[in-house]
Amino acid sequence: MSAEYKVHGDVAVITMNNPPVNGLGYSTRLGITDGLSKANADAAVKSIVITGAGKAFSGGADIKEFGTPRSTQEPNLLSVIRECEKSNKPILAAMHSVAMGGGLELALGCHYRMAAPGCKVALPEVKLGLLPGAGGTQRLPRVLGVEPALNMIVSGEAINSEMLAMLPGQKLFNKMASSPETLAQEAMDYARELAQQHADGSPLPLIRNLPCKHPQGDAYFQFARNMVKGMAKNYPAPPKCVDAVEAATQKKFDDGMAFEREIFTNLLFSNESRALRHIFMAERAASKIADVPEDTPKRNIASVAVIGAGTMGGGISMNLLNAGIPVKMLEMKQEALDRGVATIRKNYESQVKKGKLKQDKYDQRMALLSTTLSYDDIGSADMVIEAVFEEMGVKEAVFKKLDEVMKPGAILASNTSTLDVNKIAAFTKRPQDVVGMHFFSPANVMKLLEVVRGAKTSKDVLATVMTLGKKIKKTTVVSGVCDGFIGNRMIEQYSRQAGFLIDEGCTPAQVDKAAEKFGFAMGPFRMGDLAGNDIGWAIRKRRTIERPNMKYSKTADLLCEMGRFGQKTGAGWYDYQTGKRDAIPSAVVVDMIEKHRQACGITPRKIADEEIVQRLVYALVNEAAHILEEGIAGKASDIDMVYLTGYGFPIWRGGPMLYADTVGLFNVVQSMKRFAQNPHDDAAFWQPAPLLARLVADGKTFN
Ligand code: T1G
């Protein structure tokens, strides 16, 4: 069992011990109830303390157990809390570091609560597409007040215990410990006091017996519903949190509990909650590499050189400066350096103006930035990240130079977005120190970092870069070497489908609207106009040399031949007014497309949004299945993280792989078979990847 029981004189201490955060899994719950029975049966014990070992009181229900029978196996959390309330000896919850979700709900079932300062207190279930399911919506308003409680439940945000203890009239904490270190002793002392207080048999306080009212309930909850509606567009849980807290002010406690339970169960089986729980685990799993143990030694990265002060070099530098890592930026010309530094300065200054960055922090970061025009100045850096022009010849010159000047053991990273990292490594005598670090533009904003593992990249370099990725707050996903790695390889198929769709009868705006209605932050054509259509143009030119029979719509090339590269040229798939980003459908483009169809002998047809979305998304899924099979991505959830954090895939759908699982892989393949019949499409592409076909045959899923 994952809870220890120990009697200290007349105080029994039950210590939850289920690393890493004392998740309230079955064995922990059993340990608690086992401890409670022992304590209540032992006449020498006068009071009880429940506390947590290690880095948390409790991080809540064990997310890893969700959806399995163990998560509800008796004693389930509700039963454990009921046992606490039924105890005839006072129970004190002693909380430190983290008291979240079911962990806080457990504490709310105890008679008294004590917290150490700095304890992060939250009911974050809404972030998992849920609401507190073990009484949090009924008990927290009773001890904190309806409005502060609802704010905590709807936001899911953590608040420090000492802040909550200052709320007027709060009854959440009966006492505050002076520090985390003294919590254990102070809790036992306080437990002894409580035993004396109740030695006369006076009833033990239960939160369930407290009143719960709001003076202007109807008006307040109407206001709350209006506020929540805006932020909860695609998520059912936040409005349900309001319903449950309102029930606490209107129903008897047990009826409120039943109401909460009903809502919780419905949300638990919603696609949105499944997606959000999947993302929670996927985000943490992404930093784990199957053949690189967690204890692999990491190299110390105390300083980094960045080659190139352009958009990418500047953005990459900001990530490092933000994490307190000194950066030396190298360029060929002074004016390029000056431009680069000025852009960094401008970005920080706009954050300072918006109140997002304190002036002293801005000054500290700029003080960590230095520049040079000479490779001789960067040799002592622990790592160098190259962010120069995306052309193999340029990469070759840079990496040969880096191989000459960088100290032994320095990590040589390339920010290439598609080029072969093995070829780049081969320009040096130290391929084991070469790795890809593909940042997404704008690099100081986008969360995704693809770490490209070369055939010879050493494990400690990988481990070091993954750790650095976490330090600069990136979602870091490892990719093998192939054209486009994970994200851009898949986006190529997505873009090809977008092109075929306009060949066959759609307008760019129709495709974009369908994709954005599905939930993409931006449809393929608006995205092209933003990123620059000339980037795809250059990549297609290269790819058609390598794969001359690759089929794709010529419209994108025709567009570029018209000089319509997108927002940066004031016209792309759409027209733009000077200084504005609004995408205005363009008659010129529609005319170009119509002429192109005639030249190809294509009679346009009406295409439903459903077909548009399926062809765009299933193209991602089928290519991803190949990527998984080839080992380019280690796990399906990594591919989800790439699309969620780098390509604006809708969060509430959990990523392309989880979405395919939710639709059903059998149904995905059935649709693909239909698309393969379309003469204007690429039948060969729509053959299900072998892995996908196998999963369907075995009735399995990606995740
Ligand atoms: N269950 C299982 N594992 C958990 C967990 C949890 N609740 N929380 C964290 N972990 C694992 C995580 O997967 C990772 O594992 C490790 O702990 C460190 O996490 C009935 C139903 C607690 C603030 O939503 O917010 O209670 O990768 O990297 O930055 O109403 O984790 O090492 O194998 O995030 O120090 C509600 C979610 C559950 C809290 C710690 N609780 N966790 O942050 O470490 S639902 C939550 C967090 C519930 C009841 C309902 C954070 C943290 P691994 P980490 P951290």
Side-chain angles (χ1 to χ4, degrees), residues 36-265:
L36 289 174
S37 345
K38 283 181 186 150
N40 276 300
D42 180 347
V45 169
K46 305 296 179 209
S47 54
I48 302 161
V49 171
I50 296 180
T51 190
K55 68 184 241 186
F57 170 74
S58 169
D62 190 330
I63 299 172
K64 295 180 179 100
E65 267 190 3
F66 277 10
T68 71
R70 286 185 82 91
S71 66
T72 53
Q73 187 175 352
E74 287 295 354
N76 67 31
L77 188 52
L78 286 166
S79 307
V80 173
I81 294 169
R82 210 60 207 101
E83 287 306 304
C84 291
E85 290 188 317
K86 279 164 36 184
S87 165
N88 50 34
K89 296 176 183 176
I91 303 179
L92 169 68
M95 300 179 268
H96 72 290
S97 307
V98 167
M100 292 189 175
L104 178 59
E105 291 172 303
L106 170 65
L108 292 170
C110 297
H111 305 111
Y112 294 91
R113 284 154 300 283
M114 172 185 256
C119 179
K120 296 211 173 305
V121 179
L123 287 175
E125 289 86 341
V126 72
K127 294 182 176 180
L128 298 173
L130 301 167
L131 52 61
T137 65
Q138 306 302 306
R139 288 193 177 89
L140 192 65
R142 283 175 160 79
V143 289
L144 215 49
V146 170
E147 295 192 22
L150 182 57
N151 289 340
M152 274 185 74
I153 292 167
V154 165
S155 71
E157 291 307 315
I159 299 180
N160 272 10
S161 51
E162 60 273 24
M163 300 292 286
L164 291 171
M166 285 193 285
L167 277 177
Q170 69 82 25
K171 300 185 187 69
L172 174 58
F173 299 122
N174 305 86
K175 252 187 196 254
M176 290 297 287
S178 43
S179 74
E181 294 69 33
T182 56
L183 173 69
Q185 188 53 54
E186 291 184 66
M188 277 197 282
D189 298 344
Y190 183 37
R192 287 195 179 90
E193 266 180 52
L194 295 170
Q196 280 151 20
Q197 258 177 31
H198 292 284
D200 59 0
S202 53
L204 294 168
L206 294 179
I207 292 178
R208 61 167 48 235
N209 298 332
L210 294 176
C212 183
K213 282 286 164 247
H214 188 289
Q216 293 87 30
D218 293 348
Y220 171 69
F221 285 106
Q222 188 49 55
F223 162 75
R225 284 193 172 86
N226 295 340
M227 292 297 287
V228 158
K229 200 184 294 170
M231 46 101 56
K233 208 157 63 74
N234 299 294
Y235 299 94
K240 294 293 182 190
C241 293
V242 180
D243 296 347
V245 172
E246 183 179 43
T249 67
Q250 294 175 342
K251 297 173 185 289
K252 290 206 299 292
F253 183 82
D254 286 334
D255 296 341
M257 286 295 286
F259 186 69
E260 174 194 87
R261 196 76 203 151
E262 183 193 345
I263 296 176
F264 176 82
T265 307

Side-chain angles (χ1 to χ4, degrees), residues 455-466:
K456 294 182 178 159
T457 303
S458 70
K459 292 186 178 182
D460 70 314
V461 165
L462 270 178
T464 305
V465 173
M466 297 305 278

Side-chain angles (χ1 to χ4, degrees), residues 373-582:
L373 295 169
S374 162
Y375 275 90
D376 298 339
D377 288 352
I378 62 169
S380 61
D382 302 309
M383 172 188 273
V384 56
I385 304 176
E386 161 273 314
V388 299
F389 186 65
E390 187 74 350
E391 199 280 318
M392 198 52 105
V394 177
K395 305 291 187 190
E396 178 173 4
V398 168
F399 272 81
K400 280 183 172 160
K401 190 69 184 166
L402 292 177
D403 198 25
E404 270 173 44
V405 305
M406 299 310 292
K407 70 181 182 187
I411 293 177
L412 316 183
S414 167
N415 171 52
T416 179
S417 58
T418 56
L419 297 176
D420 186 334
V421 170
N422 291 328
K423 285 205 180 108
I424 291 172
F427 297 141
T428 75
K429 291 185 282 304
R430 40 177 139 175
Q432 73 283 0
D433 295 337
V434 177
V435 68
M437 288 180 79
H438 174 211
F439 289 83
F440 284 70
S441 182
N444 53 307
V445 173
M446 295 296 282
K447 266 187 75 71
L448 179 60
L449 170 61
E450 275 182 327
V451 171
V452 186
R453 178 178 189 171
K456 294 182 178 159
T457 303
S458 70
K459 292 186 178 182
D460 70 314
V461 165
L462 270 178
T464 305
V465 173
M466 297 305 278
T467 305
L468 178 68
K470 191 163 185 173
K471 186 170 182 182
I472 60 175
K473 299 190 173 38
K474 295 294 182 187
T475 297
T476 313
V477 176
V478 174
S479 170
V481 175
C482 69
D483 187 348
F485 314 137
I486 297 172
N488 284 344
R489 174 168 159 183
M490 288 165 64
I491 205 77
E492 179 197 7
Q493 298 306 337
Y494 174 90
S495 307
R496 284 203 321 137
Q497 286 303 315
F500 294 147
L501 284 160
I502 53 174
D503 282 356
E504 296 167 41
C506 292
T507 60
Q510 186 194 352
V511 174
D512 282 350
K513 280 197 180 64
E516 288 156 23
K517 199 164 136 237
F518 173 79
F520 278 100
M522 199 176 270
F525 297 105
R526 285 180 58 216
M527 190 169 71
D529 278 358
L530 178 69
N533 298 308
D534 50 329
I535 293 175
W537 195 25
I539 291 173
R540 283 194 302 279
K541 282 176 184 167
R542 173 170 61 78
R543 282 184 179 148
T544 40
I545 293 166
E546 292 155 5
R547 286 177 278 165
N549 56 359
M550 187 178 82
K551 182 178 177 186
Y552 64 90
S553 164
K554 291 290 174 280
T555 46
D557 296 344
L558 294 171
L559 188 82
C560 289
E561 285 156 21
M562 296 157 78
R564 295 177 70 101
F565 294 161
Q567 289 184 20
K568 60 185 174 186
T569 55
W573 293 103
Y574 298 91
D575 293 333
Y576 297 88
Q577 289 164 343
T578 316
K580 290 206 172 157
R581 292 173 168 260
D582 305 303

